[in-house]
Amino acid sequence: MYNYWLVVFLMMAGFYVVISQGNLVKKVIGLGMFQTSVFILYISMGKVAGGAAPIVTEGVEVYSNPVPHVLMLTAIVVGVATTSVGLALVIRIHEAYGSVEEDDIQLLDNSVDDFQEVDL
Amino acid sequence: MSLFDHLPILVVLIPLLAAPICSLFRHGIVANRIALAAAWTTFGVAILLLKEILSNGTVRYQLGGWEPPWGIEYRIDILGGYVLLIVTAIAALVLSFARRSIESEIAKRRVAIFYAAFLLCFAGLVGMTITGDAFNVFVFLEISSLSSYALISMGKDRRALSAAFQYLIMGSIGATFILIGIGFLYMMTGTLNMDDMARILPDVAETRAIRVGFAFLTVGFGLKLALFPLHLWLPNAYAYAPSAVSAFLAATATKVAIYCLLRFLLGIFGVGFSLGVMPFDMILIALGCAGILSSSLVAIFQKNVKRMLAYSSVAQVGYIALGIGIATQTGISAAVMHMFNHAMMKGALFMALGAVMYRVGSVRIESFQGLGRQMPMTMAAIAIAGMSLIGIPGTAGFISKWYLVTATLEVGMWPFALLILIGSFMALIYIGRILEAAYFGTAKPGIVVQEAPIGMLVPIWVLVAANIYFGLHTELTAGLANQATAALMEALP
């Protein structure tokens, strides 16, 4: 059962990083940790006590459930896509604001009230 | 099997395949034509599907011929059919409206990519609506979310970038919560098919895992549908996104999220569990009321009209949440009706703002001075759609608010009826501010503003006409909402 504790720890650590860090790149890293914890959660629940890896072999009666593994393949793809969109946005934010610190960006946003066009 | 049997997969496939084709072209105009063709075809397929559902009942489609619960099943009931119809209709109308608006707001080299992202977002929303597989909901949700982050970041203002990033963080957390919730459900039921889950769930409903899963799912969907106080991403995202994107997302994205929440709450967990065993009805009522009051109040003081309407969207989600929270047949049908009506009015309003943006170059309240004479058709559209938002008799907004007030009175919660009236009054104030500037303000001398081009006016007025039509003919929306809700409520104990 220790892996569930690992899930909780990773999830909370990732969530904490997302909330507490002002640096946008660190936020993306935290989000990645947060999503990774869910992979472990799914894979842990797919484990059947005493079950072998879900590959048909002679003489094996009990297999672990392969469905969560397959689901997590999709979730990993989603996670990678989220991270890359997030980092792409950070790059464009850096181009437009010259900073990736949340405080600086808020300061710049509040100082202008009118439209500030980015380069098109 | 004839092509006709494959309609359910076609609604997803057409936009999904058209998207990469769009991105291959360098000229925005070609991409525009492809996107238009894809959206209108999908709309046509949605109409055919709805006809099929109305005559033969729920449509089921097995992907790759794999039988559920092993394979993924698409399942479209009456409510799903109507949500599908409204999503495809709005997408087709917004795309018809979008060409000039997008050309003026987005760099030329990004136009083709814009249409590709738009179609992906559309495909995701359609998929969420019709799938009958819990994990598939998550996959389509992420397809639509990821592309909407990209769409929002294309706004002219650089604040669009920070708004998109904020939405990405909150949206991903919401989607991950939904994934965790689905995981708990799978852990206890051993199936991902929604019907199957609903069948097995009552046996294991009294376990902590199901309750935890329920909590994760509701918080996750709460984030996606911008339920107060999880709405913080929405105002900036809608305010700084390109006009066409604001119109599309405001009219469809939150509605599809609400529909998915309804399917999980009522279709899988069942009314008795979601709104009885778990105190989610009280939570929805409380958050709904707080959302109506605070967001309407904040909307009154906004200077940017797009931001004002974005806050108003959060308030409208509050009405819908209140309707679901009342948990009676009338309450839930009022919520379903308001979902449709809100899509029509916000679609029209945001498109009209797009027309103002195109001609005037700004949607700040000062720039509306005197527009009532210079852009009479656009402003009349804002006036009528605004009246629908307030809930003036003769418009669609009145019907759903009437049902909502009736629902509160039926269960004796008259303070909430009063609260709905206060909310409508506040809507009167903020819509009034726009109209006051447009009709009683004087234009700055020397600036001549032309009426919006006809290509923009037609889609706007189609939605405005729908607002009036459904305000006068209630059999369709009200009858359907009652029918669909009855089906949802009786599905499970």
Side-chain angles (χ1 to χ4, degrees), chain B residues 2-200:
Chain B
S2 67
L3 188 66
F4 196 74
D5 297 322
H6 292 286
L7 289 181
I9 188 74
L10 276 179
V11 273
V12 179
L13 268 190
I14 296 169
L16 201 59
L17 290 180
I21 298 175
C22 271
S23 67
L24 291 177
F25 291 95
R26 298 182 72 199
H27 294 287
I29 185 75
V30 187
N32 174 271
R33 292 291 179 266
I34 296 171
L36 262 181
W40 282 104
T41 320
T42 318
F43 178 54
V45 176
I47 293 176
L48 286 179
L49 264 176
L50 190 63
K51 269 188 179 163
E52 173 75 14
I53 296 166
L54 288 180
S55 54
N56 294 334
T58 306
V59 168
R60 287 166 188 280
Y61 181 84
Q62 290 151 14
L63 253 74
W66 291 90
E67 293 209 356
W70 297 283
I72 292 171
E73 181 195 41
Y74 283 175
R75 179 176 159 280
I76 319 166
D77 53 13
I78 301 181
L79 186 55
Y82 272 94
V83 174
L84 182 68
L85 188 75
I86 199 140
V87 170
T88 51
I90 298 270
L93 285 171
V94 170
L95 274 173
S96 314
F97 160 88
R99 188 175 62 86
R100 284 163 191 263
S101 167
I102 287 310
E103 275 167 6
S104 73
E105 288 180 36
I106 289 181
K108 221 175 175 181
R109 64 190 164 86
R110 290 214 187 104
V111 171
I113 297 288
F114 169 86
Y115 286 113
F118 192 103
L119 284 174
L120 277 181
C121 181
F122 175 42
L125 292 174
V126 167
M128 278 169 79
T129 312
I130 67 173
T131 188
D133 183 276
F135 190 76
N136 218 225
V137 170
F138 166 75
V139 174
F140 279 122
L141 176 88
E142 281 292 23
I143 292 179
S144 73
S145 307
L146 284 170
S147 43
S148 62
Y149 309 144
L151 286 172
I152 290 165
S153 76
M154 287 187 197
K156 228 176 179 181
D157 191 299
R158 69 174 176 185
R159 276 170 289 186
L161 294 170
S162 41
F165 188 80
Q166 198 187 9
Y167 183 22
L168 179 127
I169 296 289
M170 297 187 82
S172 301
I173 290 174
T176 310
F177 269 39
I178 292 170
L179 183 62
I180 298 171
I182 293 171
F184 277 112
L185 287 187
Y186 178 68
M187 197 194 257
M188 296 312 291
T189 59
T191 177
L192 286 168
N193 185 282
M194 287 182 173
D195 280 355
D196 225 24
M197 254 184 195
R199 196 170 49 76
I200 301 171

Side-chain angles (χ1 to χ4, degrees), chain B residues 275-289:
Chain B
L275 307 174
V277 179
M278 302 295 277
F280 194 52
D281 51 344
M282 282 306 162
I283 296 174
L284 274 177
I285 291 178
L287 294 183
C289 292

Side-chain angles (χ1 to χ4, degrees), chain A residues 27-103:
Chain A
K27 272 183 191 288
V28 175
I29 295 172
L31 198 65
M33 279 169 74
F34 183 65
Q35 289 178 323
T36 309
S37 69
V38 184
F39 306 160
I40 304 176
L41 172 74
Y42 265 74
I43 292 167
S44 309
M45 74 172 80
K47 175 71 182 165
V48 175
I55 303 163
V56 179
T57 327
E58 267 184 49
V60 179
E61 291 289 317
V62 185
Y63 294 104
S64 285
N65 187 350
V67 178
H69 301 188
V70 181
L71 300 182
M72 282 310 101
L73 281 181
T74 316
I76 288 168
V77 175
V78 169
V80 170
T82 312
T83 310
S84 45
V85 173
L87 289 176
L89 277 175
V90 172
I91 291 174
R92 286 201 53 206
I93 287 174
H94 188 256
E95 282 171 1
Y97 289 86
S99 168
V100 289
E101 292 291 333
E102 208 172 32
D103 299 345

Side-chain angles (χ1 to χ4, degrees), chain B residues 287-369:
Chain B
L287 294 183
C289 292
I292 296 171
L293 285 180
S294 70
S295 303
S296 303
L297 197 65
V298 176
I300 293 174
F301 297 104
Q302 293 301 315
K303 288 186 186 130
N304 180 328
V305 177
K306 263 172 105 177
R307 223 175 129 85
M308 174 193 288
L309 291 183
Y311 272 106
S312 149
S313 281
V314 180
Q316 306 304 315
V317 168
Y319 289 116
I320 298 173
L322 180 62
I324 301 173
I326 292 170
T328 58
Q329 161 100 36
T330 328
I332 295 177
S333 5
V336 169
M337 251 181 277
H338 203 59
M339 208 162 92
F340 292 128
N341 295 341
H342 182 228
M344 287 189 290
M345 51 207 182
K346 272 292 152 59
L349 279 169
F350 272 108
M351 279 204 277
L353 289 187
V356 172
M357 189 75 178
Y358 179 66
R359 283 301 190 205
V360 185
S362 160
V363 285
R364 294 178 64 78
I365 193 94
E366 306 91 77
S367 356
F368 280 74
Q369 302 280 4

